[in-house]
Amino acid sequence: MWAQMVELEQEVERRRRLGQESAARKALIASSYHPARPEVYNSLQDAALAPEFLAVTEYSVSPGADLKGLLQRLETVSEEKRIYRVPVFTAPFCQALLEELEHFEQSDMPKGRPNTMNNYGVLLHELGLDEPLMTPLRERFLQPLMALLYPDCGGGRLDSHRAFVVKYAPGQDLELGCHYDNAELTLNVALGKVFTGGALYFGGLFQAPTALTEPLEVEHVVGQGVLHRGGQLHGARPLGTGERWNLVVWLRASAVRNSLCPMCCREPDLVDDEGFGDGFTREEPATVDVCVLT
């Protein structure tokens, strides 16, 4: 029991340090970094979004909108696994965002990496793209869409996110092992560039004992986003040639995860944190917290 308490305290401290280090990087980037494509930092405009995406989100907020009507407006990759696909960004916006990300990668700015599995990529909140880009994408567009697609997963109650870009290239990360996301729902958008291989593969929900039986493979299409439940087991096949950059948005609903942590499947034990933390939110006071797995 004592050993578990020590381990718990060490994990809490580690996460606090991660948050503090991330905040320090963000502050330095904000004060010293000079963007190559400053227009991507402007507030999200409809012109950056694919017409198909605008159409499905417009339908989602229309009177009488329902799941049947929505499914006529996007691609169902797997009805059984509830995986869908829709164009999200225009080609010019994908190109501009990629140029900005590459410019940042080549700078001498400090860089926090997306997670323990991806060694190359960018945390968008550190780059200053959360407020102008990701938050309006979640609030204005993704929430009404997800409310129809995944009402049982908190789709209509999304209140935070974690957004990052991952990069796959020769000599760097080539593939991604099977995992599930710390999120209720996930959006994965292929930004580019030219590549072969690297397909996504999906199994069942991670709680299922036969979750990886006959995995489903999904090829990336630049500009298009794949929508799936965070608990869906998935990974990426090895890259063949070229470079692949993807925007991944973990969408979180504290109304769901406050009752059951999506990672440990237990009632969360919350510890105060900065910003969105891991997407847990206390009702009183309204602060964002993390769940510590024990």
Side-chain angles (χ1 to χ4, degrees):
M1 183 67 177
W2 174 251
Q4 288 181 332
M5 289 299 297
V6 171
E7 184 178 353
L8 177 61
E9 291 174 358
Q10 290 174 341
E11 177 63 13
V12 171
E13 182 57 31
R14 184 188 74 84
R15 294 196 181 198
R16 282 179 175 153
R17 285 199 308 271
L18 285 176
Q20 293 166 355
E21 292 165 358
S22 180
R25 286 191 297 267
K26 181 179 179 180
L28 179 58
I29 292 166
S31 65
S32 305
Y33 175 63
H34 300 287
R37 299 295 299 265
E39 67 272 20
V40 303
Y41 295 84
N42 297 333
S43 296
L44 179 63
Q45 301 296 313
D46 287 2
L49 300 170
E52 298 91 338
F53 188 65
L54 292 172
V56 297
T57 52
E58 181 179 357
Y59 173 78
S60 298
V61 298
S62 64
D66 58 16
L67 178 60
K68 181 179 179 181
L70 178 60
L71 293 181
Q72 296 173 358
R73 292 166 169 81
L74 47 73
E75 176 187 351
T76 298
V77 176
S78 170
E79 182 178 2
E80 175 194 1
K81 298 184 187 328
R82 300 173 69 189
I83 301 171
Y84 309 97
R85 178 157 54 189
V86 64
V88 177
F89 298 118
T90 63
F93 182 81
C94 287
Q95 181 63 31
L97 182 56
L98 268 181
E99 289 178 9
E100 178 57 32
L101 294 169
E102 288 189 295
H103 177 71
F104 177 71
E105 276 291 324
Q106 294 161 7
S107 75
D108 59 0
M109 290 289 102
K111 301 168 182 71
R113 296 311 183 185
N115 50 61
T116 57
M117 300 181 73
N118 291 102
N119 300 302
Y120 299 89
V122 179
L123 293 165
L124 292 194
H125 80 275
E126 291 187 5
L127 197 50
L129 286 170
D130 246 4
E131 293 81 1
L133 177 60
M134 301 317 306
T135 296
L137 182 67
R138 168 173 57 84
E139 292 180 345
R140 290 176 51 203
F141 300 99
L142 291 174
Q143 181 155 322
L145 172 60
M146 297 300 203
L148 288 179
L149 287 177
Y150 305 103
D152 53 324
C153 302
R157 296 178 288 177
L158 302 175
D159 53 7
S160 71
H161 61 266
R162 178 178 174 85
F164 51 90
V165 171
V166 293
K167 177 189 177 186
Y168 297 86
Q172 299 181 5
D173 290 339
L174 290 176
E175 60 188 308
L176 186 64
C178 186
H179 66 285
Y180 56 94
D181 297 337
N182 185 0
E184 276 64 67
L185 301 165
T186 297
L187 168 67
N188 186 329
V189 184
L191 299 176
K193 300 179 175 180
V194 177
F195 57 88
T196 61
L200 290 171
Y201 64 88
F202 290 93
L205 292 176
F206 76 92
Q207 300 97 331
T210 58
L212 270 180
T213 303
E214 299 182 0
L216 168 73
E217 292 206 357
V218 181
E219 297 292 338
H220 295 283
V221 179
V222 173
Q224 296 198 9
V226 176
L227 306 166
H228 63 87
R229 292 170 291 180
Q232 203 87 41
L233 283 171
H234 61 285
R237 300 298 188 197
L239 185 74
T241 60
E243 289 184 13
R244 178 167 71 83
W245 296 67
N246 282 60
L247 168 66
V248 179
V249 188
W250 287 352
L251 298 160
R252 292 160 166 172
S254 61
V256 175
R257 62 180 38 220
N258 280 3
S259 300
L260 191 70
C261 172
M263 302 304 287
C264 63
C265 295
R266 293 158 57 182
E267 183 177 352
D269 179 16
L270 302 183
V271 177
D272 291 340
D273 194 15
E274 299 293 329
F276 284 150
D278 276 338
F280 302 86
T281 304
R282 294 190 196 277
E283 293 183 2
E284 287 293 334
T287 58
V288 177
D289 310 282
V290 299
C291 170
V292 179
L293 279 61
T294 57

